[in-house]
Amino acid sequence: MKIAILPGDGIGSEIVAEAVKVLNVLDLPFEMEHAPVGGAAYELHGHPLPDSTLQLAKDADAILFGAVGDWKYDKLDRPLRPEQAILGLRKHLGLFANFRPAICYEQLTHASSLKPELVAGLDILIIRELTGDIYFGQPRGRRTAVDGHFPGSEEAFDTMRYSRPEIERIAHVAFQAARKRGKRVTSVDKANVLETFQFWKDVMIEVHADYPDVELDHMYVDNAAMQLVKAPKRFDVMVTGNMFGDILSDAAAMLTGSIGMLPSASLDKNNKGLYEPSHGSAPDIAGKGIANPLATILSAAMMLKFSLNQPEAASKIEAAVGSVLSQGLRTADIWSEGTQKVGTREMGDAVVKALTDNIAMTKTIKG
Ligand code: NAD
């Protein structure tokens, strides 16, 4: 099982190191190869996604990714900015389906910014289309306006677009995922204003005909934002486009206590995937040893489940994370009165210990 390890920038190397430590405890034949990406790759090779890194990602069975970006690169031409690396990987590898589970661990209900009763037992799955929409639509650019409110003035524009096959394939992913859980899909759109999302809704309804056992409802994105903070448990699977999903999944992250708890998987049509925490490179806390590594460790668990066919090992990692939370260990972002504050490395070590103990116990029982 070949895994490409792309730590990236900011806290990326700190959190990925902890996930690698956890993977190394498992008695599985991994071959891990590291490569620079984002700002780190720009410094070394003059490009955020060098050919060698892209080739490694293509050759691997799965990719474990940290995060990219730093304010210091904001003045670079857009194609050279670190964030282009993740967009490039999604595009070149055809990673169109982004899974972002938002699960509120019982031990963290008090770390959420919502009342505990609103988030206790929360388990929703946001599926975000990842390679289309306004983030990739052409044309885009700057020009002199020929019409609009201020003809003759400078303007910028992007293009929102979705083709039928793009919507159909993400719809199938969402309905199939719902079948394995609560059998409910909420499709989030802005069909009242945008033609692109009226089409999205029409195609969702058509594809739904293949899944009579799954319930489908529709919600405008503004209402979905409100419902996420008002009554998040009403959702099971939420499916939406690239931009709406980007925003809503970050809001959902806070329901779980911290964005530092939220893993993600970005899959191609064969379930090959890139696994990364839902957060960015957090330049404000980089190098301080205080970042929460759990989202990355849980992303590694998703990798074992979705791409490497090791569901048992994935469950063991998830159980180890639950165990360290039960012990009361917390990084700063999820700390609350009465719990023990630990740094990135101590949190990783605690997960390693819980996992090692679990594996040893299983061997004893089997022996
Ligand atoms: P961010 O997610 O990096 O940080 C937002 C806030 O959450 C910050 O206060 C940060 O300290 C905190 N935070 C994030 N991860 C944390 C963790 N694991 N533990 C504890 N606290 C954590 O978002 P931002 O500040 O908007 O962006 C910073 C950089 O990251 C930018 O350059 C942005 O473009 C980039 N970014 C990259 C990705 C990616 O690589 N996929 C995604 C989002 C943002």
Side-chain angles (χ1 to χ4, degrees):
M1 290 178 270
K2 186 168 176 175
I3 308 173
I5 307 280
L6 313 183
D9 307 319
I11 59 170
S13 49
E14 300 167 51
I15 51 180
V16 166
E18 299 312 310
V20 168
K21 240 161 56 178
V22 170
L23 286 171
N24 276 331
V25 174
L26 301 164
D27 202 9
L28 291 170
F30 296 132
E31 192 192 311
M32 299 193 217
E33 198 173 325
H34 284 66
V37 72
Y42 174 77
E43 301 288 350
L44 283 171
H45 301 285
H47 196 278
L49 183 57
D51 289 343
S52 50
T53 301
L54 180 59
Q55 197 54 50
L56 173 67
K58 282 183 175 167
D59 293 344
D61 298 307
I63 301 140
L64 186 62
F65 188 92
V68 289
D70 192 297
W71 316 127
K72 72 179 176 192
Y73 301 113
D74 282 358
K75 293 264 179 299
L76 284 177
D77 285 347
R78 192 164 295 279
L80 295 178
R81 290 196 203 162
E83 292 79 1
Q84 294 303 313
I86 185 70
L87 295 176
L89 281 165
R90 287 170 187 165
K91 190 173 139 193
H92 288 296
L93 301 179
L95 305 172
F96 70 94
N98 185 223
F99 282 61
R100 294 191 179 203
I103 296 170
C104 187
Y105 282 83
E106 192 193 318
Q107 303 91 325
L108 291 184
T109 47
H110 289 279
S112 169
S113 45
L114 294 193
K115 292 184 199 123
E117 62 268 27
L118 286 183
V119 292
L122 178 80
D123 179 359
I124 61 181
L125 174 62
I126 299 187
I127 296 184
R128 165 185 170 197
E129 198 290 329
L130 208 54
T131 51
D133 205 351
I134 198 163
Y135 288 7
F136 287 95
Q138 295 291 343
R140 60 195 289 165
R142 293 185 186 211
R143 64 188 171 193
T144 302
V146 291
D147 50 18
H149 294 300
F150 295 99
S153 68
E154 195 188 356
E155 70 172 11
F157 64 103
D158 298 277
T159 303
M160 178 176 272
R161 59 193 288 182
Y162 265 122
S163 63
R164 173 176 284 278
E166 281 175 302
I167 306 170
E168 282 175 350
R169 66 182 181 177
I170 198 74
H172 283 293
V173 167
F175 289 123
Q176 282 165 20
R179 265 189 177 160
K180 296 185 192 142
R181 342 178 353 125
K183 297 192 170 55
R184 283 187 296 116
V185 171
T186 301
S187 168
V188 174
D189 62 55
K190 190 73 186 168
N192 50 343
V193 177
L194 298 169
E195 198 53 43
T196 311
F197 275 91
Q198 180 60 57
F199 185 49
W200 170 283
K201 185 173 179 177
D202 295 345
V203 176
M204 278 288 156
I205 291 169
E206 283 174 37
V207 176
H208 180 227
D210 294 348
Y211 301 87
D213 53 323
V214 178
E215 238 178 77
L216 170 68
D217 69 345
H218 306 272
M219 198 177 275
Y220 296 139
V221 62
D222 36 352
N223 186 24
M226 186 172 79
Q227 295 299 331
L228 263 182
V229 290
K230 188 177 165 209
K233 284 190 261 182
R234 75 177 298 292
F235 296 109
D236 175 26
V237 173
M238 180 190 278
V239 62
T240 189
N242 205 344
M243 181 164 66
F244 298 158
D246 192 2
I247 299 164
L248 293 177
S249 59
D250 267 26
M254 269 321 292
L255 307 177
T256 68
S258 165
I259 198 160
M261 290 300 300
L262 209 76
S264 85
S266 305
L267 304 180
D268 75 0
K269 59 180 190 309
N270 301 316
N271 281 352
K272 170 172 170 167
L274 180 147
Y275 298 83
E276 58 171 332
S278 292
H279 57 74
S281 55
D284 53 335
I285 56 167
K288 294 185 180 161
I290 59 170
N292 186 346
L294 294 182
T296 316
I297 291 171
L298 291 168
S299 301
M302 284 184 93
M303 172 175 82
L304 291 166
K305 206 181 316 182
F306 286 105
S307 291
L308 301 180
N309 202 19
Q310 300 292 334
E312 221 175 280
S315 302
K316 282 191 177 140
I317 293 179
E318 285 161 1
V321 168
S323 160
V324 298
L325 292 175
S326 294
Q327 291 162 34
L329 304 185
R330 305 280 188 272
T331 41
D333 55 309
I334 50 173
W335 180 83
S336 61
E337 207 65 51
T339 60
Q340 187 190 340
K341 199 181 280 183
V342 296
T344 312
R345 214 173 289 167
E346 286 164 286
M347 185 57 106
D349 287 345
V351 177
V352 163
K353 171 143 193 346
L355 185 60
T356 314
D357 290 350
N358 181 330
I359 292 171
M361 200 169 71
T362 315
K363 275 191 185 150
T364 312
I365 292 168
K366 280 190 183 157

